[in-house]
Amino acid sequence: MEERYSKAETLALRRKHIGPSCKVFFAKDPLKIVRGQGQYMFDDKGEKYLDCINNVAHVGHSHPYVIKAATKQMELLNTNSRFLHDNLVQYAQRLTATLPEKLSVCYFVNSGSEANDLALRLARQYHGHQDVITLENAYHGHVTSLIDISPYKFNQLGKDSKKEFVHVAPSPDIYRGKYREDHPDPASAYAEEVKKIIEETQKNGRKIAAFIAESMQSCGGQVIPPVGYFQKVAEYVRAAGGLFIADEVQVGFGRVGKHFWAFQLQGEDFVPDIVTMGKPIGNGHPMSCVVTTREIAESFGASGMEYFNTFGGNPVSCAIGLAVLEVIEKEDLQGNATRVGNYLLELLAEQKEKHPLVGDIRGIGLFVGVDLVKDQQKRTPATAEALHLIYKLKEHQILLSADGPHRNILKFKPPMCFTMEDAKHVVETIDALLTEMEEATGMKTENNASTNAQCKRKTTEGSSQPEGANESIGHMNGAACRQENGLYSKKPSLSSKRIRT
Ligand code: PMP
């Protein structure tokens, strides 16, 4: 299909009319994507990119079954939830069937941010408490109430940006955090930190409304909390009159494979008080949801204020939501996430053996992180190297991102139709690129901890960018910086093989 504007024109118009804090991926040479199919995205030249980052196109880009469900309902009716409609109740029934029994009441909203904002309202109404405990490096959304509880964001505003009612607990990261894999009981140790915060808060006369955490931290660095951590935190938080909010906006809907929800990795004895959902729920259609218990919902209703959301729970969104659930089941995408995820982890584990740049591999299902380090012992984040790799992968038509507080963690969260072949292709390409980078820096033979100092400084500046801008080289002088460090191989790089269409 002929594009209305050339890529340069699109970019110029974007610069003119779109707010400058809305960043693009690969700022030096942004992609103009015009079509998606399955786990692939196609640019304006018809080039095909393997999408390893898009957890929104959960069941695959432009899935025909989802499109059909949306079109069919749009042809018939779309209106608000003040009218009775079967789609709303059918979807609520289907969605809650995936959750523990007591999580039975839904509020349909339109974005992850709206879901988390409403979750905070529910929690604050429940006992009239105000304070929130959040995790280090957490991101929960872009609205004012959530920037306040997102250290990933508010830390960028300077040291006085944390509000009084916000309390930040250490991220339960056993690779980089306070208690590591050699600790006898990191779950209890990290939960104890939350308990200390609660005690301190109470001493100051403040009251905890909620503890909020992603069931696995994504922007925060692909962190999988140790089993048992949530149970203990929930016990302490509830004893203080607060609620446990599990943010499943990135990690829900079967991404972890063996469970539908990532909080279920903690064990059957753990049930959050509120679960928030977004991104994958509508496969790209803007919709989201808050699910809670009857008791919490009744307490919210007791304020007497109506909750009305113009678009939330409309018949089209619900038809789409239902179609997504059906595809996950029919195509056994959870099974696929387990099989392909395990294979990907196996292949990456081999890379860890082989490459000094690979410090840690962690993941479950199709949620995988590769922690790049400059020094295996010190675990010094290899920030510049991660960015370099992301850009080289783009040249090989593979889309991957680097995230975490140091932007050194390769973040896999592909559409759930990702295949074994895709996993093999990506890891082979990463292998070749890492070899090239290590050879260029002499990393195999000597510890190269002091290299890239300049790049590191530049990318640290880059890290003060809004979410999604972390892959941008707009803030590091890409090629020049890499050449200074010898990160650019003088040898011809890996053949720029195209993925076959
Ligand atoms: N929670 C988490 C964990 C997220 O990653 C995001 C978005 N990156 C949000 C909430 C906010 O979602 P949205 O952008 O749809 O408002």
Side-chain angles (χ1 to χ4, degrees):
M1 199 176 71
E2 192 62 18
E3 288 304 302
R4 187 183 307 261
Y5 304 115
S6 70
K7 185 165 146 180
E9 285 166 339
T10 308
L11 189 59
L13 283 169
R14 182 174 162 124
R15 285 197 178 123
K16 186 171 173 198
H17 295 298
I18 305 298
S21 34
C22 305
K23 303 289 183 190
V24 288
F25 280 133
F26 309 111
K28 287 265 163 169
D29 182 25
L31 285 171
K32 182 170 175 183
I33 295 294
V34 298
R35 186 165 75 83
Q37 191 184 356
Q39 65 277 46
Y40 298 105
M41 295 178 104
F42 298 82
D43 73 5
D44 51 336
K45 306 277 181 300
E47 296 293 346
K48 185 180 186 181
Y49 289 82
L50 178 61
D51 182 359
C52 305
I53 46 181
N54 217 313
N55 60 347
V56 173
H58 193 60
V59 300
H61 290 276
S62 311
H63 195 292
Y65 190 78
V66 178
I67 294 168
K68 201 165 160 206
T71 317
K72 205 170 139 205
Q73 185 56 49
M74 277 178 89
E75 279 170 354
L76 206 58
L77 170 79
N78 201 17
T79 186
N80 68 61
S81 63
R82 278 189 174 132
F83 298 98
L84 291 180
H85 199 283
D86 286 350
N87 287 10
L88 177 70
V89 290
Q90 193 190 357
Y91 184 44
Q93 206 175 28
R94 284 291 298 271
L95 189 61
T96 53
T98 65
L99 286 155
E101 210 177 334
K102 75 182 237 213
L103 291 167
S104 60
V105 183
C106 302
Y107 297 86
F108 289 107
V109 289
N110 308 289
S111 69
S113 297
E114 255 192 86
N116 281 331
D117 182 74
L118 179 58
L120 288 183
R121 285 183 63 195
L122 291 173
R124 285 179 167 143
Q125 171 72 25
Y126 191 58
H127 274 143
H129 298 179
Q130 289 302 313
D131 285 22
V132 176
I133 303 177
T134 186
L135 291 180
E136 214 177 359
N137 309 319
Y139 178 65
H140 293 293
H142 59 77
V143 300
T144 309
S145 64
L146 302 172
I147 294 297
D148 283 349
I149 61 160
S150 298
Y152 183 87
K153 289 285 187 190
F154 71 66
N155 280 342
Q156 298 170 10
L157 301 175
K159 69 174 171 39
D160 296 325
S161 53
K162 187 179 82 59
K163 301 269 164 61
E164 244 195 324
F165 64 85
V166 178
H167 312 283
V168 181
S171 165
D173 176 351
I174 58 163
Y175 181 69
R176 293 195 168 278
K178 192 165 175 182
Y179 308 108
R180 298 191 172 179
E181 68 280 4
D182 55 353
H183 190 283
D185 184 5
S188 300
Y190 279 116
E192 203 59 31
E193 294 281 334
V194 176
K195 192 175 174 205
K196 274 195 263 169
I197 289 174
I198 295 171
E199 286 165 358
E200 205 54 41
T201 311
Q202 287 173 332
K203 261 193 243 155
N204 296 330
R206 308 194 66 96
K207 291 177 178 155
I208 301 295
F211 170 90
I212 183 167
E214 280 189 90
S215 303
M216 299 185 299
Q217 273 195 307
S218 39
C219 297
Q222 304 291 89
V223 174
I224 304 172
V227 172
Y229 170 66
F230 281 178
Q231 286 86 330
K232 290 197 167 67
V233 169
E235 185 192 325
Y236 302 145
V237 170
R238 285 172 186 150
L243 299 180
F244 192 114
I245 304 171
D247 180 336
E248 292 265 346
V249 168
Q250 289 230 18
V251 296
F253 290 88
R255 176 155 298 279
V256 299
K258 72 181 199 199
H259 299 289
F260 202 80
W261 302 105
F263 72 76
Q264 292 169 317
L265 291 167
Q266 292 275 318
E268 275 183 21
D269 56 336
F270 174 67
V271 179
D273 299 299
I274 302 174
V275 177
T276 59
M277 309 162 185
K279 295 188 191 277
I281 188 172
N283 211 50
H285 179 78
M287 57 185 285
S288 62
C289 187
V290 180
V291 186
T292 191
T293 64
R294 166 70 37 203
E295 192 195 352
I296 294 166
E298 298 286 357
S299 140
F300 190 57
S303 75
M305 194 200 290
E306 180 193 359
Y307 181 79
F308 175 65
N309 190 311
T310 304
F311 300 118
N314 69 69
V316 172
S317 298
C318 292
I320 290 172
L322 269 167
V324 170
L325 292 181
E326 283 167 18
V327 175
I328 294 172
E329 200 176 312
K330 273 201 241 161
E331 297 184 6
D332 185 26
L333 293 180
Q334 273 184 259
N336 190 61
T338 297
R339 289 184 294 274
V340 178
N342 285 345
Y343 181 57
L344 177 63
L345 284 168
E346 251 172 59
L347 295 175
L348 289 168
E350 288 166 16
Q351 301 305 305
K352 180 169 152 52
E353 294 305 309
K354 197 167 164 189
H355 296 288
L357 271 168
V358 179
D360 188 37
I361 304 289
R362 47 186 180 257
I364 174 117
L366 284 172
F367 176 88
V368 171
V370 179
D371 198 318
L372 296 183
V373 296
K374 289 202 275 205
D375 181 302
Q376 291 280 342
Q377 246 70 49
K378 295 186 195 133
R379 302 183 179 182
T380 322
T383 305
E385 290 79 353
L387 284 170
H388 176 72
L389 189 61
I390 293 306
Y391 272 84
K392 292 302 278 185
L393 284 166
K394 181 195 169 225
E395 285 173 23
H396 291 276
Q397 295 173 248
I398 293 171
L399 305 179
L400 198 65
S401 66
D403 214 334
H406 309 287
R407 309 296 191 264
N408 68 312
I409 293 147
L410 307 180
K411 184 168 154 181
F412 287 83
K413 47 183 178 98
M416 297 270 284
C417 50
F418 206 68
T419 65
M420 302 271 193
E421 221 179 24
D422 297 329
K424 191 160 181 283
H425 173 61
V426 178
V427 178
E428 278 174 2
T429 312
I430 290 178
D431 183 13
L433 291 171
L434 287 177
T435 304
E436 204 175 275
M437 288 161 70
E438 286 161 354
E439 277 173 12
T441 55
M443 199 170 178
K444 283 242 184 243
T445 48
E446 56 185 294
N447 187 342
N448 224 13
S450 64
T451 53
N452 308 319
Q454 195 173 355
C455 264
K456 184 166 188 283
R457 183 168 48 74
K458 284 177 179 161
T459 49
T460 307
E461 283 163 25
S463 73
S464 69
Q465 289 306 303
E467 193 226 1
N470 43 7
E471 296 86 355
S472 160
I473 59 167
H475 302 273
M476 73 181 265
N477 186 5
C481 181
R482 291 191 293 269
Q483 245 159 4
E484 266 166 34
N485 293 334
L487 265 176
Y488 254 6
S489 171
K490 294 278 186 282
K491 283 183 253 160
S493 68
L494 240 187
S495 67
S496 83
K497 186 174 63 185
R498 299 261 142 87
I499 300 162
R500 248 174 252 124
T501 49

